[in-house]
Amino acid sequence: ALGIAGELERRGAVDGDLVMVGEYDFDFAPGMSNPYIPPELLEEDARYEESRRMYEQSPRGMLVDVPSSSGATDDDDEDGERP
């Protein structure tokens, strides 16, 4: 749940690999579902993965400050409001 299988795959884990976390270890099986995970957590995981995919595919831009033509700065505005 919560994208763990996807993250393990991104880090190179393949079906059947032994994964060790702290005192726990398990055979990695990305195609299997755990019957003990409540359905709402599986649905939440699916929504998270979908939103992550959408984010990774969306175009990105960068916000920059453009100096005003008068040379005034935000500090010059005494009442804190912009015209």
Side-chain angles (χ1 to χ4, degrees):
L2 303 177
I4 294 170
E7 183 62 27
L8 287 169
E9 287 179 309
R10 279 187 283 288
R11 293 176 179 232
V14 295
D15 192 15
D17 278 356
L18 176 63
V19 176
M20 302 172 77
V21 179
E23 63 186 63
Y24 303 100
D25 60 78
F26 58 93
D27 291 328
F28 183 60
M32 295 189 63
S33 179
N34 184 334
Y36 301 105
I37 298 175
E40 59 271 10
L41 285 181
L42 294 173
E43 293 167 5
E44 181 180 339
D45 189 41
R47 284 191 304 273
Y48 170 79
E49 287 297 323
E50 180 61 26
S51 68
R52 185 174 179 165
R53 262 187 248 108
M54 295 296 289
Y55 174 78
E56 290 172 351
Q57 294 173 357
S58 66
R60 296 199 183 64
M62 182 174 26
L63 298 175
V64 295
D65 287 330
V66 177
S68 67
S69 59
S70 67
T73 64
D74 287 342
D75 296 335
D76 296 335
D77 190 9
E78 292 178 10
D79 62 3
E81 295 182 7
R82 293 184 165 226

